[in-house]
Amino acid sequence: MNDYRLYLFDFDYTLANSEAGILKCFHLALRGAGYPDVADDAIRRTIGLPMADAVQQIIKGTKEEARAFIEAYRPLADRYMTEGTVFFPRALETLRALKKRGAGIAIVSNKTGSRIQEKFDRDGARDCVDLIVGSDEGIAPKPAPDGLCHAIKRFGVPKDAALYTGDSTVDAAAAAHAGIDFAAVLTGATRADAFAVYPHVLLLDGVEGLLVR
């Protein structure tokens, strides 16, 4: 196994479970905008997608309707998202242990970067991460490789020294497009067999598995 100098992570369902916040915000936004409600599982399956894509899948609307929905969703997320997000039990411990080894730590997510930063700040865990690349950076969302390539360039490491860890096939595709190693974690809504068609060097029950490889 490679001796990685940079560990890149997805956020939702990889480091943290934000399901409660996302479900609450979607249900409230659907109700407020006059759309029929949808099952929780339908929302869960969109977690990790670019927001516009997730909304279009849920409301079955046009791009313009999705944009209007996102505007209604945003203040709800400001109110409920961070309080409805919890780190997985050993996530912060894992980040700190990897940093202690001398590795860089970055998050590349389709979630708003400021929202991710807020969660780390509220949990007193700002020390756990060196860089957050989120959807508010103006960078093409995953599965495009742009966010991963941006982070790798910022750290100045070769691609073979970086590992991206995520819970979805969107994450796996982004890593493949970027030409870097990928570790799949089974803490999200994606089953293990879904990763079979994507290059991956590890299949883990959670990010803490990175510490025992």
Side-chain angles (χ1 to χ4, degrees):
M1 182 72 66
N2 207 333
D3 186 16
Y4 299 109
R5 292 159 51 194
L6 174 60
Y7 287 86
L8 304 151
F9 294 88
D10 176 49
F11 185 73
D12 289 329
Y13 276 157
T14 298
L15 294 173
N17 187 346
S18 54
E19 182 180 291
I22 291 171
L23 292 175
K24 184 170 186 175
C25 291
F26 262 110
H27 289 307
L28 289 173
L30 287 166
R31 190 180 311 145
Y35 287 99
D37 206 356
V38 299
D40 287 353
D41 279 348
I43 299 172
R44 289 187 184 101
R45 287 193 291 270
T46 70
I47 294 176
L49 293 176
M51 186 62 176
D53 294 348
V55 170
Q56 279 189 275
Q57 283 193 27
I58 290 168
I59 69 172
K60 311 298 183 186
T62 65
K63 290 183 178 180
E64 291 73 20
E65 289 169 332
R67 281 194 288 268
F69 185 92
I70 291 169
E71 288 303 309
Y73 180 99
R74 189 170 288 120
L76 295 169
D78 289 341
R79 182 174 181 182
Y80 298 116
M81 188 62 67
T82 300
E83 71 179 36
T85 300
V86 294
F87 284 108
F88 287 122
R90 295 189 61 193
L92 297 180
E93 170 192 335
T94 298
L95 298 183
R96 289 189 173 109
L98 293 172
K99 282 179 67 69
K100 191 172 182 179
R101 293 178 182 179
I105 302 293
I107 294 171
V108 179
S109 172
N110 285 337
K111 195 182 191 77
T112 306
S114 58
R115 190 94 57 207
I116 297 170
Q117 185 67 63
E118 181 180 54
K119 178 59 182 172
F120 276 93
D121 290 348
R122 286 198 185 180
D123 283 43
R126 181 176 288 192
D127 62 301
C128 287
V129 62
D130 301 307
L131 175 69
I132 297 172
V133 182
S135 63
D136 44 353
E137 296 286 339
I139 295 172
K142 299 175 296 183
D146 302 42
L148 294 172
C149 293
H150 172 76
I152 291 166
K153 185 176 180 180
R154 284 280 300 271
F155 282 86
V157 301
K159 288 186 175 182
D160 63 4
L163 176 72
Y164 187 44
T165 301
D167 68 283
S168 74
T169 56
V170 171
D171 300 324
H177 294 155
I180 64 174
D181 285 351
F182 178 68
V185 289
L186 302 178
T187 41
T190 305
R191 292 173 26 169
D193 56 4
F195 293 108
V197 297
Y198 294 92
H200 59 280
V201 296
L202 292 167
L203 185 64
L204 306 170
D205 290 331
V207 295
E208 65 273 11
L210 294 171
L211 299 178
V212 295
R213 62 178 180 84

